Amino acid sequence: MGQLAPTLSQREREVCALMAAGLTSERIALKLGISLNTVLTYRKRAYFRLQISSQNDLLRLMLQ
């Protein structure tokens, strides 16, 4: 995700990395000590900035 780093905030990168590790949004919220709605917002912003629409798209980007 190194090439993606400049386009995402630190928190968006953290959320994306945890998603890629297989954590659910609920588990990410618990792990980071933030609300579920906040996780969903970071996720939505990351998808928008990366011009993707799914977790599968995110994983494909990370593997490139």
Side-chain angles (χ1 to χ4, degrees):
M1 202 154 83
Q3 293 177 353
L4 305 178
T7 62
L8 300 179
S9 71
Q10 176 65 33
R11 196 58 117 174
E12 289 165 349
R13 286 193 301 270
E14 289 174 326
V15 168
C16 287
L18 292 170
M19 286 170 46
L23 275 69
T24 64
S25 294
E26 291 83 2
R27 293 292 299 164
I28 294 170
L30 287 172
K31 184 170 182 69
L32 298 179
I34 58 179
S35 75
L36 174 59
N37 285 334
T38 302
V39 171
L40 296 176
T41 297
Y42 285 130
R43 198 172 156 160
K44 180 179 173 181
R45 286 182 189 165
Y47 283 10
F48 176 78
R49 289 180 187 198
L50 297 171
Q51 299 178 346
I52 60 175
S53 60
S54 71
Q55 190 168 349
N56 285 339
D57 291 341
L58 176 64
L59 294 174
R60 270 190 225 105
L61 276 177
M62 292 177 79
L63 293 174
Q64 289 180 350

